[in-house]
């Protein structure tokens, strides 16, 4: 399996952004030297896509969809920006199932 290199999109991040990125990186667990694809950071669920950006999903109430995991990502300036995607998790069981699919301890 060929692993894609993740570009360093955070080269020009300011001090506040660097602190956020550093905290999210440190929260990422490893299993036998392999970094987790998904992990928890506080009340958020994190991943890093092959574009190099950290994406964070936070539980929110949406007036149209009910309870969702709303996507945010940390942009090149180190700012948390709302993304376009979300996952519906109307019940605790659906959130638990979502976590199990991604090997996140819930």
């Amino acid at each position: 399996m060929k692993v894609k290199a993740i570009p360093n999109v955070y080269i020009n991040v300011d001090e506040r952004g660097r602190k956020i990125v550093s905290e999210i990186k440190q929260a990422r667990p490893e299993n036998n030297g392999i970094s987790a694809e998904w992990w928890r950071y506080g009340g958020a669920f994190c991943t890093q896509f092959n574009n190099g950006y950290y994406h964070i999903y936070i539980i929110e109430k949406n007036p149209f969809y009910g309870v969702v995991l709303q996507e945010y990502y940390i942009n090149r300036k180190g700012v948390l920006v709302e993304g376009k995607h979300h996952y519906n998790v109307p019940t605790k069981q659906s959130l638990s199932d979502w976590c199990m699919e991604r090997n996140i301890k819930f």
Side-chain angles (χ1 to χ4, degrees):
M1 182 171 123
K2 186 175 181 183
V3 177
K4 291 184 179 179
I6 296 175
N8 185 0
V9 295
Y10 299 110
I11 291 172
N12 298 320
V13 172
D14 65 10
E15 187 175 329
R16 183 174 176 269
R18 195 175 326 265
K19 183 175 185 264
I20 294 168
V21 171
S22 176
E23 287 175 2
I24 290 170
K25 279 181 173 179
Q26 287 176 1
R28 187 175 193 172
E30 285 191 1
N31 187 7
N32 294 328
I34 300 170
S35 298
E37 186 178 358
W38 287 86
W39 69 97
R40 284 185 69 179
Y41 172 63
F45 303 96
C46 304
T47 190
Q48 186 178 28
F49 292 139
N50 61 4
N51 61 5
Y53 289 101
Y54 287 102
H55 291 252
I56 297 162
Y57 293 83
I58 299 171
I59 298 172
E60 294 183 354
K61 285 189 178 179
N62 182 298
F64 303 106
Y65 303 106
V67 180
V68 299
L69 283 170
Q70 178 61 51
E71 174 195 35
Y72 292 86
Y73 66 94
I74 300 173
N75 69 11
R76 193 177 297 256
K77 296 177 183 176
V79 177
L80 195 64
V81 179
E82 186 172 337
K84 297 179 182 177
H85 303 96
H86 69 271
Y87 292 98
N88 290 332
V89 287
T91 65
K92 188 173 182 178
Q93 184 59 48
S94 59
L95 176 60
S96 176
D97 293 345
W98 185 89
C99 288
M100 283 179 54
E101 289 172 12
R102 290 157 182 79
N103 294 321
I104 303 171
K105 291 185 179 179
F106 176 74

